[in-house]
Amino acid sequence: MKDWWLYQGTGEAAERRARLEAGPPPPWRDFKGVPDPAYAPPGCEGPAWERTWRRGEGYVPDELEKDVVNTALHLRRPLLITGKPGVGKSTLASSIAADLGLGPVLHWPVTSRTVLRDGLYLYDAIGRLQEAGLEQLRTPGAEPAAPGGSGQAPAPAPAGGGPSIARYLRLGPLGTALLPQDRPRVLLVDEIDKSDIDLPGDLLTVFEDGGFVIPELARLVKEAPTVAIGTDDDTGGAVRISQGRVQCRYFPIVVLTSNGERDFPPAFLRRCVRLHLDPPGPDKLARIVRGRLGVDIENSEEYRELVRSFLERAEDGDLATDQLLNAIQLRLAGAWSAPGDRERFLATVMHHLTGPSA
């Protein structure tokens, strides 16, 4: 362990987390968001935290991985992780959250249809328009509220309790991560290489500013300067947004994963700390199996043979580490134990992800 490490460093999680929160940021990464005192983000309890903990506690980082992760933490920059499928890119985000006790990981899965607003916030304009129509039927002559998504300014909620825009807005995973808090959240932006070509560029301003404006709220500032809306963790309207702007206090720990299916613009890469994960070798596989399944393969010729078969098959096409874990788990359960089943067992559990036989 190195003295400057926060992730996987010396001391208890609370002590390292305190160092993380108190550490001075680079002057160009010092943000001034003001937390909502009534908002309490999810802590280290509950089902969401249990999922994060189980996923992250068995991760086995190399020294280089620890160096790069801690570099991103100190610089308060996004971490871009590349590597083949199944090498543990997304699991590293859970490992960071579990090791430092930062609460459940916020997850933003990216597809070819994903746009920046999907990560920042969601606005149900159709639902609001429908309620406005119902309100007009209940109150003849009332003006329907504009949905706010077509360039028209939405009308403020009537004093008598008419439709409120807050019910139709909630923050997405990126927007929730950017809420002003003293403790950073961990955000996993999964498979960003599958995104539309514009998304990495669209993220640049958000990464630099540490915040964003919700236009639907900004248009209502005079009527409602502060509005409580839901978050990605809690859709029930838990956090107050002032002046229509979300501005972080501590830049979140953003982990972006890429399978290397595309290149990114230099301006985007410049704003990220980069880490490439290679497929694990025999020693690391042994540590992963011990950490995940509690099996010491050095004491079992059968399991050592499974590791050798996994590495040999990986030479002809990509395999994921969890395929080896699946194979050992099946053998622990007594499945596929007949001598004549070996080749069918390997072909079933360790089928190639790429290559001629995929």
Side-chain angles (χ1 to χ4, degrees):
M1 296 183 184
K2 300 178 182 179
D3 292 340
W4 66 280
W5 281 357
L6 301 169
Y7 168 66
Q8 297 285 328
T10 57
E12 297 295 327
E15 175 189 346
R16 290 180 284 115
R17 188 172 61 246
R19 289 165 50 202
L20 170 68
E21 296 160 5
W28 54 90
R29 304 296 292 164
D30 190 10
F31 302 107
K32 303 298 183 182
V34 179
D36 175 3
Y39 172 66
C44 298
E45 57 185 14
W49 169 248
E50 289 297 327
R51 289 192 295 272
T52 292
W53 174 259
R54 286 198 303 269
R55 185 174 175 84
E57 66 170 338
Y59 187 80
V60 182
D62 293 333
E63 182 176 354
L64 175 62
E65 295 173 45
K66 298 175 188 177
D67 280 338
V68 175
V69 169
N70 282 289
T71 296
L73 294 181
H74 282 284
L75 293 179
R76 304 193 181 186
R77 286 288 187 184
L79 177 64
L80 175 61
I81 308 177
T82 58
K84 295 180 178 180
V87 296
K89 299 186 296 296
S90 57
T91 308
L92 180 52
S94 296
S95 177
I96 297 170
D99 181 70
L100 291 168
L102 295 175
V105 170
L106 292 160
H107 185 207
W108 183 18
V110 174
T111 70
S112 60
R113 298 179 298 278
T114 300
V115 296
L116 177 62
R117 202 179 87 162
D118 297 332
L120 296 178
Y121 70 99
L122 302 174
Y123 176 41
D124 183 8
I126 295 177
R128 185 165 186 244
L129 185 61
Q130 288 173 338
E131 180 167 334
L134 292 174
E135 179 64 22
Q136 189 180 31
L137 291 175
R138 289 192 293 265
T139 310
E143 289 293 327
S150 60
Q152 295 177 282
S164 169
I165 194 173
R167 290 197 292 272
Y168 306 101
L169 277 169
R170 72 176 173 89
L171 295 174
L174 175 55
T176 301
L178 288 169
L179 285 171
Q181 302 168 65
D182 293 321
R183 178 176 302 176
R185 295 292 301 274
V186 178
L187 169 68
L188 171 63
V189 184
D190 214 3
E191 299 191 335
I192 191 172
D193 53 326
K194 288 183 168 56
S195 72
D196 178 86
I197 193 171
D198 293 328
L199 181 60
D202 292 341
L203 284 168
L204 294 182
T205 301
V206 176
F207 285 168
E208 286 301 291
D209 293 348
F212 64 99
V213 171
I214 301 176
E216 290 80 3
L217 294 183
R219 288 195 288 265
L220 293 176
V221 166
K222 290 184 179 180
E223 296 86 357
T226 300
V227 178
I229 65 174
T231 67
D232 191 65
D233 295 310
D234 180 3
T235 60
V239 65
R240 290 178 291 185
I241 306 299
S242 297
Q243 306 298 311
R245 180 170 180 82
V246 175
Q247 177 64 62
C248 75
R249 178 180 177 88
Y250 195 115
F251 191 76
I253 300 169
V254 180
V255 177
L256 308 110
T257 70
S258 168
N259 294 329
E261 296 183 4
R262 60 175 286 192
D263 295 325
F264 298 104
F268 176 79
L269 296 176
R270 181 173 66 83
R271 289 164 172 82
C272 299
V273 176
R274 301 168 67 182
L275 171 65
H276 182 77
L277 295 183
D278 291 316
D283 293 339
K284 187 171 184 178
L285 285 174
R287 286 183 284 140
I288 292 172
V289 171
R290 184 165 55 248
R292 290 290 188 187
L293 299 176
V295 174
D296 188 350
I297 66 173
E298 296 302 321
N299 297 326
S300 171
E301 175 59 30
E302 179 184 11
Y303 297 137
R304 287 200 302 273
E305 175 59 30
L306 281 177
V307 172
R308 284 194 293 268
S309 298
F310 176 83
L311 293 171
E312 289 172 0
R313 293 177 69 84
E315 295 177 358
D316 299 324
D318 291 337
L319 295 176
T321 305
D322 61 356
Q323 291 175 290
L324 173 63
L325 297 176
N326 290 338
I328 294 178
Q329 179 64 40
L330 283 168
R331 285 298 173 85
L332 287 171
W336 293 92
S337 56
D341 287 345
R342 181 180 184 278
E343 290 305 319
R344 286 196 301 124
F345 168 60
L346 295 178
T348 300
V349 182
M350 299 184 188
H351 53 86
H352 290 112
L353 306 178
T354 62
S357 62

